[in-house]
Amino acid sequence: MLRDDIAALLTVALRKAQKRGDLPKFSPPAIAVEHPKDPSFGDYTTNVAMQSARLARMAPVKIADAIVQNLAPAAYVGKVDVVPPGFINITLADDWLSQQVAVIRQDGERWGNIDKGGGRKVQVEYVSANPTGPLHFGGARNAVLGDTLANLLAAAGYKVQREYYVNDAGLQIRKFGESLLARYGQALGQEATLPEDGYHGAYLQEWAGEIVRAEGNHYLSMPREEAISVLTAWGIRRTLRDLERDLAALGVHFDRWFSEKSLYEDGTFGEVMNLLRSRGFLHEKDGAVWLTATALGGAKDEVVIRSNGTPGYFASDIAYHYDKFIRRGFDWVIDVWAVDHQGHVPRMKTALQALGVDPKRLTVVLYDMVKLLRNGQEVKLSKRSGDIVTLAEVVAEVGKDAVRFMLLTRGNEATIEFDLDLAVRESSENPVYYVQYAHARIASIFRKAQEDGWTIASDANLSLLVHPAELHLVRHLLMLPEVVDLAVTRLQPHHLTYYARDLAAAFHQFYRDCQVLDRQNEALSQARLQLVAATKQVLAQVLALMGMSAPERM
RNA sequence: GCCCCCAUAGCUCAGCGGAUAGAGCAGCGGACUUCUAAUCCGUCGGUCGCAGGUUCGAGUCCUGCUGGGGGCGCCA
């Protein structure tokens, strides 16, 4: 990555300055290279001279001068300035910039990939909503965030596994099954009441009707427990089928759907309890089994197995993470959770310690809520009330690309206001289509080129690209690896949306200033065709990272 | 009561301890006989919630306060 190259160049220069006695001996801070806010200061800047002032007991500007004087020549460096109070500003060389078009074209789909992961195994677990009904729109943010993080990690050189944890065991599932049986009985004219805190959604009535039509009334003659068991399994299968379909419509796919129930069936749960017990982190109190979290610095002990003998969700989660880390050996696990699960994070970390797993290997990405607006009014996303807004409905209404883009434009910790009316509007108020339009515009240039009989030369003279708008565009193409690095380092995919917008803007400005196809100047046209091809490729790449399509025409 | 997140332009939000705090939208004014005007250009718009502190330098870090959201369960 260019930024790293520059940091290395500066580091070498600083050492050389020390060796030659231009600078005193001191152990220099890590050199931070960034883009100055004001482009008139150049492409890259570092404050290392100011950082070193105290250590070197020298004026920052003097330090900067000494570093600059010992800078080895590099093709990409066009101009170096030392500016008070001690910034070193680097401007890229025009001729080097124009040649990068060929490099980007040559890298193709690999452009933007970085080797941060070094092939380490990372699992991203996301969505994981209870399989008790359709996914409501709040879950869309989880899906888009997790999926995009997985895309980014893959681009950053990690070996990524995408997983959905299916909570097909426990109390909620029990209530789900009881609710479905009650609806089934009602569908057959029986007096049946839903359990307390049961599932009241209308979809269960529909499903009960389906079961009656397909299989008649014979579940009524079955023992109740057996009927619940069969109907629960039916309901989960049905839910998962719909979930998979609805998530696919959003462009979200999983490598594995992991069953919570399987942890109990294959002995994992028992194994984990034995391990915890042998390590001395379980104790009994009030008839329940507790994790002795306080022994590991936790605020309070946590119930693992209730006094009625049933394991709680925390019990499953411990076993599940044991499976992730110890059995499957992921180097790093990322769980994507809504903020209302924040209290569970320290608990989970403590549980990992109890298992002997370094808690740093688990990162929980928390994201805030989505506020859905229609006609300027907030639509409540509660499961209780009848007006639940499902993911499928919103995707059908506004489209996959708009949903993904809008859910990605905010930092994870910011609440998102999702305006349904704005999302469907195809106007300048809607930021979604801006990036795609740039891609389509470029496609249009190539269509025109073909119509007009241009043959695209592979050996274009790129040094003809000297217009400020051309070089400005190249500069943006060059930033993709840095953006991937930033988004992965912070696990904040919203940086992609801002980059995509900036890149598209750089293209639209170029488009205004520079005619690509010009019979009066075919050599320049060929160079611009290469530039525009590189831009199309990078736009497609960033759209792909966001899980959006790159349309050829709009 | 304790813990976490948020507070930046009219609105929605970016902002990596650096230089004159940015973008989109909205408002106002311009640009299509041209490779797509879903575009571009100009302009208006700020006590970065408040008060201290650390620092050569704070929207950014620390402390306190105010306001909003979330959490503190043998629910998930």
Side-chain angles (χ1 to χ4, degrees), chain A residues 525-541:
Chain A
S525 293
Q526 290 293 349
R528 284 180 172 169
L529 279 166
Q530 290 301 311
L531 171 58
V532 147
T535 305
K536 185 166 184 270
Q537 172 195 316
V538 176
L539 284 168
Q541 187 71 14

Side-chain angles (χ1 to χ4, degrees), chain A residues 247-312:
Chain A
L247 287 164
L250 188 61
V252 174
H253 304 271
F254 292 91
D255 299 314
R256 184 163 176 188
W257 298 69
F258 188 100
S259 157
E260 176 186 6
K261 206 170 151 197
S262 73
L263 294 165
Y264 295 95
E265 290 171 347
D266 69 4
T268 306
F269 179 72
E271 204 176 298
V272 171
M273 288 304 116
N274 287 338
L275 175 64
L276 289 175
R277 195 165 281 119
S278 70
R279 289 174 58 87
F281 292 119
L282 289 183
H283 68 270
E284 291 198 21
K285 198 182 103 189
D286 305 330
V289 178
W290 300 67
L291 180 76
T292 317
T294 44
L296 293 160
K300 56 183 177 51
D301 293 338
E302 305 287 348
V303 170
V304 179
I305 300 175
R306 303 182 188 102
S307 51
N308 68 8
T310 60

Side-chain angles (χ1 to χ4, degrees), chain A residues 192-443:
Chain A
T193 50
L194 270 73
E196 207 180 329
D197 297 324
Y199 289 82
H200 294 255
Y203 59 92
L204 277 189
Q205 287 168 301
E206 289 170 31
W207 292 1
E210 276 180 39
I211 296 169
V212 169
R213 281 193 296 280
E215 313 193 34
N217 67 354
H218 69 273
Y219 293 123
L220 287 184
S221 50
M222 225 177 231
R224 179 176 160 80
E225 283 308 309
E226 199 182 329
I228 288 175
S229 167
V230 176
L231 289 181
T232 300
W234 187 95
I236 290 172
R237 270 200 314 279
R238 174 57 203 260
T239 303
L240 289 177
R241 198 185 76 201
D242 288 0
L243 280 175
E244 195 164 3
R245 181 198 61 205
D246 295 346
L247 287 164
L250 188 61
V252 174
H253 304 271
F254 292 91
D255 299 314
R256 184 163 176 188
W257 298 69
F258 188 100
S259 157
E260 176 186 6
K261 206 170 151 197
S262 73
L263 294 165
Y264 295 95
E265 290 171 347
D266 69 4
T268 306
F269 179 72
E271 204 176 298
V272 171
M273 288 304 116
N274 287 338
L275 175 64
L276 289 175
R277 195 165 281 119
S278 70
R279 289 174 58 87
F281 292 119
L282 289 183
H283 68 270
E284 291 198 21
K285 198 182 103 189
D286 305 330
V289 178
W290 300 67
L291 180 76
T292 317
T294 44
L296 293 160
K300 56 183 177 51
D301 293 338
E302 305 287 348
V303 170
V304 179
I305 300 175
R306 303 182 188 102
S307 51
N308 68 8
T310 60
Y313 86 107
F314 184 44
S316 300
D317 258 8
I318 297 172
Y320 181 35
H321 283 79
Y322 168 87
D323 184 82
K324 292 184 187 205
F325 285 106
I326 294 174
R327 196 169 278 165
R328 286 191 273 170
F330 286 108
D331 298 302
W332 186 22
V333 168
I334 295 172
D335 292 349
V336 181
W337 297 350
V339 269
D340 57 345
H341 288 61
Q342 59 178 264
H344 187 45
V345 178
R347 219 175 301 171
M348 203 60 239
K349 296 255 185 188
T350 305
L352 290 183
Q353 277 182 268
L355 291 170
V357 172
D358 182 354
K360 282 204 280 292
R361 287 166 66 193
L362 173 69
T363 302
V364 178
V365 171
L366 297 173
Y367 63 92
D368 215 288
M369 306 301 184
V370 180
K371 228 195 214 175
L372 195 62
L373 301 178
R374 192 192 287 280
N375 305 321
Q377 296 286 310
E378 182 175 357
V379 183
K380 289 289 180 196
L381 290 170
S382 83
K383 272 187 179 170
R384 272 299 170 90
S385 55
D387 55 43
I388 143 170
V389 179
T390 66
L391 167 70
E393 284 173 61
V394 178
V395 171
E397 187 175 341
V398 315
K400 172 193 85 158
D401 291 340
V403 169
R404 291 193 69 124
F405 190 86
M406 298 192 90
L407 292 180
L408 282 174
T409 44
R410 304 286 173 259
N412 302 340
E413 283 120 23
T415 309
I416 291 182
E417 274 195 17
F418 192 101
D419 188 328
L420 276 167
D421 307 294
L422 173 61
V424 283
R425 214 175 298 152
E426 294 189 359
S427 75
S428 61
E429 286 171 74
N430 189 338
V432 173
Y433 302 104
Y434 184 84
V435 180
Q436 293 181 318
Y437 182 61
H439 187 271
R441 253 185 161 178
I442 296 173

Side-chain angles (χ1 to χ4, degrees), chain A residues 9-24:
Chain A
L9 193 75
L10 290 160
T11 305
V12 169
L14 194 155
R15 282 208 208 99
K16 193 172 157 205
Q18 287 184 311
K19 196 177 267 177
R20 291 182 29 170
D22 298 344
L23 285 177

Side-chain angles (χ1 to χ4, degrees), chain A residues 98-99 461-467 470 521 523-525 527-528:
Chain A
S98 58
Q99 296 307 317
N461 180 6
L462 295 174
S463 58
L464 296 173
L465 300 174
V466 294
H467 192 283
E470 293 167 334
N521 195 343
L524 180 59
S525 293
R528 284 180 172 169

Side-chain angles (χ1 to χ4, degrees), chain A residues 11 14-15 18 23-31 48 51-52 55:
Chain A
T11 305
L14 194 155
R15 282 208 208 99
Q18 287 184 311
L23 285 177
K25 294 267 183 282
F26 62 93
S27 81
I31 294 188
V48 67
Q51 300 285 357
S52 305
L55 295 159

